[in-house]
Amino acid sequence: PVVYRIALAGGLALFICTYVQGNFMIDRLPALDGTSIWWGKYDILRKDTLILWAVVLTLVVIAAIVLKKKRFENAVMFISSVMTLMLLVTACSTVLTGGALHSKLHLHVSVEDEFEMSKDENFVILLLDAADSREFSYLLEQNPEYRDIFADFTYYENTVGAYSCTRYAVPYILSGKWYECDTSFEEYMEDLYDKSPLIEELENRNYRIGLYEPDLHAQNNDVLRFDNIFEAEFKVKSYFGMARQELKLVGYRYAPYWLKKYCVLKQAAFDEQLEAGEGSGEITASMENRVLLDHLNAGGITVDDTENSFKFIHLEGAHSPYVYDAEVNIIDESQGTYAQNMEASVTLAERYLSALKKSGTYDNTAIIVMSDHGFNQDIDNADMGDNPFMRQCGLLLIKGVGEKHDTMQISEAPVSYEDLQEAYRRLLDGAWSDTVFDCREGDHRDRRYLWYAVTDEDYLVEYQQTGYASDLSTMLPTGREFRWTKQ
């Protein structure tokens, strides 16, 4: 009886504390976006956890002592039943309204034709995640040989991106359509690929289109138009392995603070537990820098006689975790830095360009080397409030078909990602990099930018960059904010 009473009290305390932690104490948790977490920065969460558990345990122990055995048991059963019923109602509501009962289109993004170019004309967008133009400019000063790597490119140093994080930035780069929380993100993505000016232009010009973007965020047949995307049935390699990742994810949200560090995981951990069935093309496309480099080293780029080819290749680039040295060798995360990941990104771009040259397709290929957003490394700006990481400085280097320079050109024209759709069209028409934008050095223009945090993707804040792209003092909020409220 004594052990049973202690178990009841302990179970009730565990139930209440984990519920509170998982629902009311998660807003300050670091995001699981691959970034290395310095737990010392979140010591306030340790204190909050200690206070919660101390208060709840004290109240439960007092109740166990004061209340008679039967009354305490009834109280525990009543509280547990009410909480369980509440969770069941929430679970049922989520299943019914979240589309869990609807059949879904299972899409497989394969590597098919990723390294196969046309002998006629090609267009490549090499997107290096989180590569910041300020860091690239710094590396240019330290490594003058970078100018030779990108000798035929124009580097647009004064470029403002569109969004602060990948989720909205990549769809905007492809479509030029702003997401302003006026509908759900799923509805926004429904016809994005179908109405993208870039994709429509490519199809009108009979380009084969390869979209090597693992996170499609799409649930319709529009994406099946891409040569490397297939409808597939996925199989779980190991149910034990999948359950282990699920439990870690649950633990990260609900476990006490001092256990959360053991529950950190990455999206790749789930992906590794799945495999596409037969008829789904080749192996799954990967964002990993090292995977692309290994393929280039092993097989290079081949040429075929089919129609023109377009490739959109999204790589992890300079994004955390910092696990690459300058030669894209994998190193221990504790030894890595953002600067090293940026150097690895440049090395990766250089190897890709070299493979194009070796294949003989470099001259007939229009190339954009860019990022989805920048990264404000080690910037602490009190004027930004809770957001020292504006990440507005996107990397942008462009080369047209047949374009040749003695050295890399640098332009200070006030470019915005809003200009990209027209730039794509001009590149397809054969324009060189210095004529794809209407703005010129010395021009003044206000450039729109929408900031959001990866921990709250339903809240956007609008800024206008009224000065140079990297100048945070001229990055002014317009007063417009957008919030998506789930219906």
Side-chain angles (χ1 to χ4, degrees), residues 154-165:
T154 298
Y155 169 38
Y156 286 94
E157 191 172 29
N158 183 15
T159 298
V160 172
Y163 291 93
S164 55
C165 301

Side-chain angles (χ1 to χ4, degrees), residues 67 72 114 120-121 140 170 217 265 314 333 343 365 409 426:
L67 297 177
F72 177 69
E114 183 173 4
D120 296 324
E121 288 190 3
L140 274 179
V170 171
H217 301 296
L265 75 163
H314 185 180
E333 189 174 344
E343 290 177 304
T365 302
Q409 309 297 302
R426 292 180 183 181

Side-chain angles (χ1 to χ4, degrees), residues 39 88 102 105 166 195 245 285 324 352 354 429 447 476:
W39 287 101
L88 286 173
H102 301 155
L105 186 67
T166 302
K195 296 182 179 179
Q245 302 308 323
Y324 298 105
Y352 187 81
S354 295
D429 285 339
R447 291 168 283 177
L476 306 178

